[in-house]
Amino acid sequence: MTNDAGQLQTTTFVVQPVQVGSMQLAMLQNEVLSIEQWREPTPLPAAPEAVLGIVCIQGRMLTLLDTAKLLNIDSASTKSIVALRGKEQLALTIDKASEAFTVSTSQIELPHGHSQPLVKGIIPRGQEKLHLLALCELFDTAM
């Protein structure tokens, strides 16, 4: 995108890094309502395997999705829940969260050859690569 002077405009946004198993993930911070301590969800009968049940966070009933199952990765223990904003009323399991940071669109790499539909980009950060989640795809992937 360019401005009136023909200069390239760089857009920045804040991402929230999280870890699930050995995978480093990131999501846009404006899509995160809160990060909460683990609580047992109320199971839903006949729900898909990735749907753990319902949890109440800040007075909202959220469908809790197992992030490790959605991404087909191993995760030994879940310690926290990320409650998401939006009309789908979803929350995700995570192992831990790190401090949010700002990234520019120019730093995000397209996930070439990546077979994971939930990953919309790769953010290099030091020796790590964070997989930017496409949160709008969560519900369809879980179902």
Side-chain angles (χ1 to χ4, degrees):
M1 181 180 264
T2 59
N3 61 16
D4 293 337
Q7 297 171 322
L8 188 63
Q9 289 180 335
T10 302
T11 303
T12 61
F13 49 92
V14 179
V15 294
Q16 174 62 61
V18 297
Q19 183 173 339
V20 176
S22 62
M23 193 169 195
Q24 301 294 325
L25 305 170
M27 54 194 77
L28 299 178
Q29 191 178 45
N30 66 352
E31 295 180 316
V32 174
L33 176 66
S34 64
I35 298 174
E36 305 283 335
Q37 293 294 323
W38 176 255
R39 58 192 76 168
E40 276 305 311
T42 301
L44 293 171
E49 186 178 8
V51 176
L52 297 176
I54 300 292
V55 291
C56 183
I57 296 177
Q58 296 182 9
R60 294 176 63 207
M61 299 302 288
L62 304 175
T63 302
L64 181 61
L65 304 178
D66 186 329
T67 310
K69 284 191 171 109
L70 289 173
L71 296 171
N72 294 317
I73 57 175
D74 292 327
S75 178
S77 65
T78 298
K79 296 182 176 76
S80 301
I81 297 171
V82 175
L84 303 176
R85 297 181 191 278
K87 62 183 178 190
E88 282 88 13
Q89 306 276 341
L90 298 176
L92 297 173
T93 59
I94 61 169
D95 295 335
K96 68 178 184 176
S98 303
E99 190 172 327
F101 65 96
T102 301
V103 65
S104 72
T105 52
S106 63
Q107 294 173 281
I108 299 174
E109 302 169 0
L110 294 176
H112 296 293
H114 204 283
S115 62
Q116 184 53 254
L118 287 177
V119 175
K120 66 179 176 181
I122 306 293
I123 303 170
R125 188 167 192 222
Q127 300 297 325
E128 298 178 332
K129 288 189 182 273
L130 283 79
H131 298 80
L132 184 61
L133 290 178
L135 298 179
C136 61
E137 302 291 328
L138 285 174
F139 189 77
D140 290 338
T141 302
M143 298 316 218

